[in-house]
Amino acid sequence: MKDWVEARVVGKHRWTEGLYSLQFEAPITDFVAGQYIKVALDIEGERVGRPYSLVNAPGEQPIEIFFNEVPQGPLTPPLSALNPGDRVWLTATASGIFTLESVQPARDLWMLATGTGLGVYLSILRSPDPWRLFERVILVHGVRQGADLAYSETLDEIAGRYPGRFTRVAAVSREPWPTALPGRITDLLTSGELERHVGLTIDPTTSHVMLCGNSAMIKDAKVILEARGLVRHRRQAPGHYTTEQYH
């Protein structure tokens, strides 16, 4: 991924301490919902880049990313300090296979995210793909603090567009939060509380599950899902769950 193009920052939102969205204008090529680009800055003579899922829908501008600032990281502190008008480098071509392109249709699509893993699902939800392949879509967003539950207005818009077909669930692990389930996603899966809350069961005959977020959640969720008979999805061998782990 060496096809760098210069982009201009056109929007910035600080959700809470260390949690940001940035929007760019840039001539990137068409992409598939679920893919990512690299974002880079030239720092001390070196181009430092990291992959970020695209939050915007395919064919829409501005380009948008959602990220945590890592205080000692080489890229995110200067990235979070950018303001509209500043310049940044993006890869012109998106990559990644965390998409619905080869997923088999089923009744239910479960999207499980921790933290900024939510971003990739916003792009997918704003595309026709999940609504063409599934009857019901359930988005579960797990965070530590309730203030980290970002993009509520966007999710309200999606729910309004697909009445009766879209369910969103917040899970907050470190404090009580109105309307949120208490605890981690994996604990809510193990106890059955998540499915009782939604009124649907995760089952290989009816469900496809997408996992995006921290590696511990993905590792534990895979064990839980495989114990229920779900098989990892591969392009050559379609299965029941898909993972994205670069975050």
Side-chain angles (χ1 to χ4, degrees), residues 169-184:
V169 181
V172 179
S173 62
R174 295 200 177 173
E175 63 176 344
W177 194 259
T179 73
L181 295 179
R184 295 186 172 126

Side-chain angles (χ1 to χ4, degrees), residues 73-139:
L75 180 62
T76 55
L79 199 61
S80 63
L82 294 175
N83 288 301
D86 291 338
R87 303 285 172 166
V88 66
W89 295 103
L90 307 182
T91 45
T93 305
S95 299
I97 56 171
F98 191 65
T99 70
L100 294 175
E101 282 186 300
S102 61
V103 168
Q104 300 298 302
R107 189 189 70 190
D108 307 323
L109 175 64
W110 294 77
M111 297 172 153
L112 309 186
T114 55
T116 56
L118 171 70
V120 67
Y121 294 135
L122 297 173
S123 181
I124 294 171
L125 288 166
R126 289 190 275 192
S127 78
D129 302 342
W131 315 106
R132 177 175 51 84
L133 296 170
F134 301 92
E135 296 175 26
R136 291 282 303 273
V137 179
I138 305 95
L139 171 70

Side-chain angles (χ1 to χ4, degrees), residues 10 49 82 98 121 130 135 149 160 162 183 188 208 213 216 219 244:
V10 295
L82 294 175
F98 191 65
Y121 294 135
E135 296 175 26
L149 293 168
Y162 300 99
L188 296 169
H208 190 90
K219 179 182 175 183
E244 177 72 288

Side-chain angles (χ1 to χ4, degrees), residues 22-24 26 28 37 54 56 60-65 90:
L22 280 176
Q23 295 179 325
F24 312 103
I28 75 165
I37 56 169
L54 292 157
N56 53 296
E60 290 187 358
Q61 290 272 358
I63 306 304
E64 186 168 349
I65 63 169
L90 307 182

Side-chain angles (χ1 to χ4, degrees), residues 1-2 32 57 67 73 98 110 120 148 185 189 191 197 231 240:
M1 293 176 61
K2 302 295 186 185
V32 178
F67 67 97
F98 191 65
W110 294 77
V120 67
D148 296 332
I185 289 175
L189 272 175
S191 68
H197 178 79
V231 175
H240 313 110

Side-chain angles (χ1 to χ4, degrees), residues 150-190:
Y151 287 99
S152 288
E153 288 185 10
T154 301
L155 292 169
D156 285 343
E157 289 171 12
I158 293 166
R161 209 175 304 155
Y162 300 99
R165 297 183 64 193
F166 181 51
T167 302
R168 49 195 274 222
V169 181
V172 179
S173 62
R174 295 200 177 173
E175 63 176 344
W177 194 259
T179 73
L181 295 179
R184 295 186 172 126
I185 289 175
T186 45
D187 292 338
L188 296 169
L189 272 175
T190 301

